[in-house]
């Protein structure tokens, strides 16, 4: 496959992992746009925004992503950061794209299958990330339409998922705090309600320790 074709082998909204050179980092973000042969546009990962990784124009990072079951990676220069109207980073277009074994991309494929519940309706999807305070739920547009759910900021929901070693589905209530749908995927930021059962603590702790 030519490099030009490989550069096009990705969808807008694709989950991208940004690896900072010399550090054990896999910072999740999403692809916002591509100017072929010139640059890729990504949402700036939260840890870079917070200053945990003080990067600037001219620094190099490695981008890793999956597309149609194949893992890709390339190293490229950060061209610029933009803070308005959104926090974005511009990465030089790849000069060479490497195909990787899926074993090397386990973290990308390890999305945790989950369901989001609103009243009596259920929406299938996955947890893209999770912390003790909340999670990011991702689903496809067609799944959303089939469920009849219309997620909005402030909607009370319940996240259901299975955890190895714990019996049955774990259920954690929360509130939708943001909704994003750049392509055919919908991303819901969910803030957990205060845990009321020890099982909820254990479920989140087990997921965090396995990532």
């Amino acid at each position: 496959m030519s490099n030009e074709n490989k550069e096009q082998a990705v969808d807008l909204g694709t989950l991208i992992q940004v690896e900072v050179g010399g550090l054990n980092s896999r910072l999740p973000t999403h692809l916002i746009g591509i100017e072929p042969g010139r640059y890729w546009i990504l949402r700036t990962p939260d840890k870079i925004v917070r200053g945990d990784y003080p990067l600037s124009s001219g620094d190099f990072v490695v981008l890793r992503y999956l597309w149609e079951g194949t893992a890709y990676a390339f190293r490229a220069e950060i061209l610029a950061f933009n803070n308005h109207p959104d926090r974005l980073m511009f990465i030089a277009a790849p000069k060479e794209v490497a195909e990787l074994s899926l074993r090397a991309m386990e973290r990308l494929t390890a999305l945790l299958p989950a369901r989001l519940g609103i009243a009596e309706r259920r929406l299938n999807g996955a947890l893209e990330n999770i912390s003790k305070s909340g999670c990011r739920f991702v689903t496809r547009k067609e799944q959303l339409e089939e469920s009849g759910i219309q997620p909005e900021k402030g909607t009370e929901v319940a996240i259901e998922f299975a955890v190895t070693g714990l019996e049955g589905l774990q259920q954690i209530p929360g509130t939708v705090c943001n909704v994003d749908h750049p392509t055919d995927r919908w991303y819901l930021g969910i803030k957990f309600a205060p845990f009321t059962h020890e099982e909820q603590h254990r479920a989140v702790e087990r997921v965090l320790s396995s990532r």
Side-chain angles (χ1 to χ4, degrees):
M1 181 187 296
S2 69
N3 188 67
E4 180 182 0
N5 288 336
K6 283 183 179 179
E7 183 181 358
Q8 296 172 354
V10 63
D11 296 321
L12 298 185
T14 292
L15 172 65
I16 304 284
Q17 288 189 339
V18 179
E19 181 176 318
V20 181
L23 299 174
N24 184 22
S25 62
R26 295 286 177 87
L27 310 181
T29 185
H30 293 89
L31 180 65
I32 300 301
I34 293 180
E35 181 65 26
R38 296 184 61 197
Y39 54 78
W40 287 28
I41 306 173
L42 311 176
R43 290 192 187 279
T44 305
D46 291 341
K47 288 189 177 182
I48 295 178
V49 172
R50 292 201 306 262
D52 296 347
Y53 298 87
L55 299 175
S56 58
S57 300
D59 290 334
F60 282 79
V61 292
V62 174
L63 303 189
R64 302 173 184 271
Y65 60 97
L66 285 173
W67 189 77
E68 293 190 347
T70 300
Y72 297 98
F74 67 88
R75 182 175 183 269
E77 180 183 359
I78 298 174
L79 299 179
F81 288 95
N82 185 60
N83 293 327
H84 300 286
D86 203 351
R87 296 182 184 275
L88 304 174
M89 56 192 300
F90 292 74
I91 307 294
K95 296 180 179 179
E96 183 176 352
V97 179
E99 292 188 12
L100 305 175
S101 69
L102 288 179
R103 180 170 297 179
M105 295 293 289
E106 286 178 352
R107 291 194 183 184
L108 272 183
T109 60
L111 295 177
L112 180 65
R115 291 192 307 180
L116 179 142
I118 298 179
E120 300 301 318
R121 298 181 184 272
R122 295 293 182 271
L123 173 61
N124 292 322
L127 298 185
E128 185 181 274
N129 59 53
I130 187 170
S131 71
K132 294 179 180 179
S133 60
C135 66
R136 186 172 169 90
F137 179 86
V138 57
T139 189
R140 289 190 173 274
K141 180 181 179 180
E142 53 265 33
Q143 293 276 2
L144 189 68
E145 292 174 345
E146 289 176 6
S147 72
I149 288 175
Q150 295 293 328
E152 297 179 350
K153 185 176 180 179
T155 303
E156 294 185 356
V157 300
I159 291 292
E160 300 175 349
F161 56 93
V163 180
T164 302
L166 296 180
E167 186 176 350
L169 286 177
Q170 308 305 309
Q171 186 177 88
I172 301 180
T175 303
V176 176
C177 54
N178 61 70
V179 179
D180 189 18
H181 47 99
T183 58
D184 66 335
R185 294 182 178 87
W186 283 61
Y187 302 91
L188 309 180
I190 297 169
K191 181 179 180 181
F192 291 149
F195 294 157
T196 56
H197 302 288
E198 181 61 30
E199 289 82 359
Q200 295 172 340
H201 283 279
R202 289 206 303 269
V204 173
E205 288 287 355
R206 280 184 179 254
V207 175
L208 291 175
S209 65
S210 67
R211 308 308 272 178

